[in-house]
Amino acid sequence: VLLMFVTSVLEVLVWAVAYLALNALEGLEQAVYFSMVTFTTLGYGDVLLDVSGGVGQSGQLILEVLPIALRHH
């Protein structure tokens, strides 16, 4: 369980850095928050990406949900 938690946190941080590198979000706090909300698939809607950032968000969601789906298959 600890390994799954650490892996999830690292994945959120990697995506946050990717969003910053693409200039999709303004700061690290906002990028981590957005990445975590996307990771948990809640999508509050209070932080939005422009059209070019939507592709990254979709990719993050697929890459995070796919392993979970494959594990339970």
Side-chain angles (χ1 to χ4, degrees):
V1 173
L2 180 60
L3 179 61
M4 288 174 55
F5 173 75
V6 170
T7 303
S8 297
V9 169
L10 288 175
E11 191 170 355
V12 165
L13 291 175
V14 166
W15 280 102
V17 169
Y19 289 128
L20 286 175
L22 295 170
N23 292 323
L25 296 167
E26 294 182 8
L28 181 61
E29 182 180 349
Q30 187 180 40
V32 170
Y33 172 77
F34 181 81
S35 183
M36 181 59 76
V37 169
T38 303
F39 181 78
T40 59
T41 66
L42 294 174
Y44 294 127
D46 56 342
V47 177
L48 301 173
L49 299 178
D50 61 6
V51 175
S52 63
V55 174
Q57 180 182 5
S58 299
Q60 178 185 2
L61 186 59
I62 290 168
L63 291 175
E64 290 172 346
V65 173
L66 187 61
I68 295 168
L70 292 176
R71 240 181 288 157
H72 294 291
H73 183 289

